[in-house]
């Protein structure tokens, strides 16, 4: 009997030891799994923090750019507001002149000198303005001057034609435009794409897009722009040709001069 009890106790001890060893192995495996999950979570947290840091930096950069753009927009709005007042005054003058045409038989002798003075003023304005489509604009004025000597055109029609030329010049300040031209760059005639943003900025870019420049009214000459304007001018050309949707673009703008 004692031997049987001892065998039973021994067998129980062996079974208990085996159970403990099995539990230890399972505990080790569970611990490894927990550590792996914890490590995976730590890696995900690190990756998430990196993305958060990157997004935070991008947000800060965009905020700085947004403030700069807002400042430029505000400056342009003030400048445009002044131009709109000038245009409104000019249109008011044109309206008054249109009404005067109805009484042309009464003031015909005064109209002819007025038309000539208007042509002189228009020609001076074109010569002092940014040189976009210069040949076309000067040819229009030359044609109007020739018409003043023609007897088959009434004074009222001559006056109307000059008013129409004024309206065309006024429209140039309202739209963006792109066209081809030839400019002397570095002593060589180069075919370029011209980008005109109203009367705010006039730029060129060679057809290979390697060189860009803008008209400097203070110097009365084209000045070369650095490469930072290359993509902006390309964007503006696409917008002007209706190849891209309207968007904000950075262009060289001279500060408005005080009225004399």
């Amino acid at each position: 009997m004692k031997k049987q009890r001892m065998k039973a106790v021994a067998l129980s001890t062996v079974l208990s030891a085996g159970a403990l060893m099995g539990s230890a192995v399972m505990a080790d495996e569970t611990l490894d799994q927990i550590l792996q999950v914890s490590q995976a979570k730590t890696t995900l947290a690190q990756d998430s923090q990196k993305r958060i840091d990157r997004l935070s930096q991008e947000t800060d950069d965009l905020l700085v750019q947004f403030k700069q753009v807002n400042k430029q927009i505000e400056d342009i709005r003030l400048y445009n507001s002044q131009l709109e007042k000038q245009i409104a005054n000019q249109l008011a003058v044109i309206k008054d002149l249109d009404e005067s045409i109805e009484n042309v038989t009464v003031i015909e002798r005064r109209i002819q000198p007025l038309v000539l003075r208007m042509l002189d003023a228009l020609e001076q304005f074109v010569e002092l303005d940014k040189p976009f489509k210069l040949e076309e604009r000067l040819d229009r004025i030359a044609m109007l001057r020739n018409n003043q000597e023609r007897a088959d055109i009434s004074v009222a029609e001559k006056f109307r034609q000059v008013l129409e030329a004024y309206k065309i010049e006024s429209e140039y300040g309202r739209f963006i435009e792109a066209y081809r031209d030839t400019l002397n760059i570095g002593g060589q005639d180069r075919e370029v794409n011209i980008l005109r943003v109203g009367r705010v900025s006039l730029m060129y870019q060679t057809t290979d897009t390697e060189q860009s420049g803008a008209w400097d009214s203070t110097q009365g000459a084209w000045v070369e722009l650095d490469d930072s304007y290359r993509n902006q001018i390309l964007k503006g050309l696409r917008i002007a040709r209706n190849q891209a949707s309207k968007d904000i673009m950075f262009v060289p703008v001279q500060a408005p001069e005080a009225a004399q």
Side-chain angles (χ1 to χ4, degrees), residues 122-139:
L122 185 60
E123 184 173 16
Q124 183 180 19
F125 175 82
V126 170
E127 291 174 349
L128 294 175
D129 195 18
K130 290 179 171 62
F132 58 90
K133 293 189 172 180
L134 188 57
E135 183 176 354
E136 174 185 324
R137 297 158 73 192
L138 291 176
D139 286 346

Side-chain angles (χ1 to χ4, degrees), residues 6 21 31 56 74 85 92-93 100 114 123 133-134 138 143 152-153 165 168 181-182 186 213 215 220 254 260:
M6 289 178 67
M21 290 178 64
L31 180 59
S56 177
E74 183 61 28
K85 291 178 182 178
V93 171
S100 298
L114 173 62
E123 184 173 16
K133 293 189 172 180
L134 188 57
L138 291 176
M143 180 269 293
D152 59 332
I153 301 178
I168 291 173
D181 203 348
T182 301
W215 179 258
Q254 292 179 297
Q260 299 295 324

Side-chain angles (χ1 to χ4, degrees), residues 1-16:
M1 291 294 290
K2 286 184 180 181
K3 289 181 179 181
Q4 290 178 353
R5 288 196 197 97
M6 289 178 67
K7 288 180 180 180
V9 170
L11 180 59
S12 176
T13 301
V14 170
L15 292 174
S16 298

